[in-house]
Short mmCIF file of all heavy atoms in Angstrom, two decimals:
data_model
loop_
_atom_site.label_atom_id
_atom_site.label_comp_id
_atom_site.label_asym_id
_atom_site.label_seq_id
_atom_site.Cartn_x
_atom_site.Cartn_y
_atom_site.Cartn_z
N ILE A 265 2.78 83.37 -49.30
CA ILE A 265 3.14 84.78 -49.41
C ILE A 265 4.27 84.92 -50.42
O ILE A 265 5.30 84.24 -50.29
CB ILE A 265 3.59 85.34 -48.05
CG1 ILE A 265 2.49 85.15 -47.00
CG2 ILE A 265 3.98 86.82 -48.18
CD1 ILE A 265 2.97 85.34 -45.58
N THR A 266 4.06 85.77 -51.42
CA THR A 266 5.11 86.11 -52.36
C THR A 266 5.28 87.63 -52.33
O THR A 266 4.56 88.32 -51.61
CB THR A 266 4.75 85.66 -53.80
OG1 THR A 266 3.63 86.42 -54.26
CG2 THR A 266 4.44 84.18 -53.85
N GLU A 267 6.19 88.14 -53.12
CA GLU A 267 6.35 89.59 -53.19
C GLU A 267 5.12 90.25 -53.79
O GLU A 267 4.80 91.38 -53.46
CB GLU A 267 7.58 89.95 -54.02
CG GLU A 267 8.89 89.67 -53.31
CD GLU A 267 10.09 90.12 -54.13
OE1 GLU A 267 9.93 90.96 -55.04
OE2 GLU A 267 11.19 89.63 -53.83
N ALA A 268 4.43 89.54 -54.68
CA ALA A 268 3.30 90.12 -55.40
C ALA A 268 1.95 89.98 -54.69
O ALA A 268 1.08 90.82 -54.86
CB ALA A 268 3.21 89.48 -56.79
N ALA A 269 1.78 88.90 -53.93
CA ALA A 269 0.44 88.64 -53.36
C ALA A 269 0.52 87.66 -52.21
O ALA A 269 1.52 86.97 -52.02
CB ALA A 269 -0.48 88.08 -54.45
N VAL A 270 -0.58 87.60 -51.46
CA VAL A 270 -0.75 86.56 -50.45
C VAL A 270 -2.01 85.78 -50.83
O VAL A 270 -3.03 86.37 -51.21
CB VAL A 270 -0.84 87.13 -49.01
CG1 VAL A 270 -1.98 88.11 -48.85
CG2 VAL A 270 -0.98 86.01 -47.98
N ARG A 271 -1.91 84.46 -50.80
CA ARG A 271 -3.03 83.58 -51.11
C ARG A 271 -3.37 82.78 -49.86
O ARG A 271 -2.49 82.18 -49.25
CB ARG A 271 -2.67 82.62 -52.25
CG ARG A 271 -3.79 81.66 -52.62
CD ARG A 271 -3.33 80.72 -53.74
NE ARG A 271 -4.36 79.80 -54.13
CZ ARG A 271 -4.58 78.62 -53.56
NH1 ARG A 271 -3.82 78.20 -52.56
NH2 ARG A 271 -5.55 77.82 -53.99
N VAL A 272 -4.65 82.78 -49.52
CA VAL A 272 -5.13 82.05 -48.34
C VAL A 272 -6.15 81.01 -48.80
O VAL A 272 -7.08 81.33 -49.55
CB VAL A 272 -5.76 83.01 -47.30
CG1 VAL A 272 -6.31 82.24 -46.12
CG2 VAL A 272 -4.74 84.04 -46.85
N TYR A 273 -5.94 79.77 -48.37
CA TYR A 273 -6.80 78.65 -48.72
C TYR A 273 -7.25 78.00 -47.41
O TYR A 273 -6.41 77.61 -46.60
CB TYR A 273 -5.99 77.66 -49.57
CG TYR A 273 -6.67 76.33 -49.84
CD1 TYR A 273 -7.50 76.17 -50.95
CD2 TYR A 273 -6.46 75.24 -49.01
CE1 TYR A 273 -8.09 74.95 -51.22
CE2 TYR A 273 -7.05 74.02 -49.26
CZ TYR A 273 -7.86 73.88 -50.37
OH TYR A 273 -8.45 72.67 -50.63
N ILE A 274 -8.56 77.91 -47.22
CA ILE A 274 -9.12 77.30 -46.02
C ILE A 274 -10.18 76.29 -46.48
O ILE A 274 -11.11 76.66 -47.20
CB ILE A 274 -9.77 78.35 -45.09
CG1 ILE A 274 -8.78 79.46 -44.75
CG2 ILE A 274 -10.31 77.68 -43.82
CD1 ILE A 274 -9.40 80.68 -44.09
N LYS A 275 -10.02 75.04 -46.06
CA LYS A 275 -10.97 74.00 -46.47
C LYS A 275 -11.27 73.08 -45.31
O LYS A 275 -10.37 72.62 -44.62
CB LYS A 275 -10.40 73.18 -47.62
CG LYS A 275 -11.36 72.09 -48.10
CD LYS A 275 -10.74 71.19 -49.13
CE LYS A 275 -11.71 70.18 -49.71
NZ LYS A 275 -12.53 69.46 -48.77
N ASP A 276 -12.56 72.81 -45.10
CA ASP A 276 -12.93 71.77 -44.14
C ASP A 276 -13.49 70.58 -44.90
O ASP A 276 -13.84 70.68 -46.06
CB ASP A 276 -13.90 72.30 -43.06
CG ASP A 276 -15.30 72.60 -43.58
OD1 ASP A 276 -15.83 71.84 -44.41
OD2 ASP A 276 -15.88 73.60 -43.13
N ASN A 277 -13.52 69.43 -44.24
CA ASN A 277 -14.02 68.21 -44.88
C ASN A 277 -15.44 67.90 -44.43
O ASN A 277 -15.87 66.76 -44.47
CB ASN A 277 -13.10 67.02 -44.58
CG ASN A 277 -13.14 66.59 -43.14
OD1 ASN A 277 -13.68 67.29 -42.28
ND2 ASN A 277 -12.57 65.44 -42.85
N GLY A 278 -16.16 68.92 -44.05
CA GLY A 278 -17.51 68.74 -43.54
C GLY A 278 -18.54 68.46 -44.62
O GLY A 278 -18.23 68.15 -45.77
#
Side-chain angles (χ1 to χ4, degrees):
I265 303 165
T266 66
E267 287 184 19
V270 59
R271 179 182 180 272
V272 177
Y273 171 89
I274 306 168
K275 181 186 185 313
D276 70 39
N277 69 348

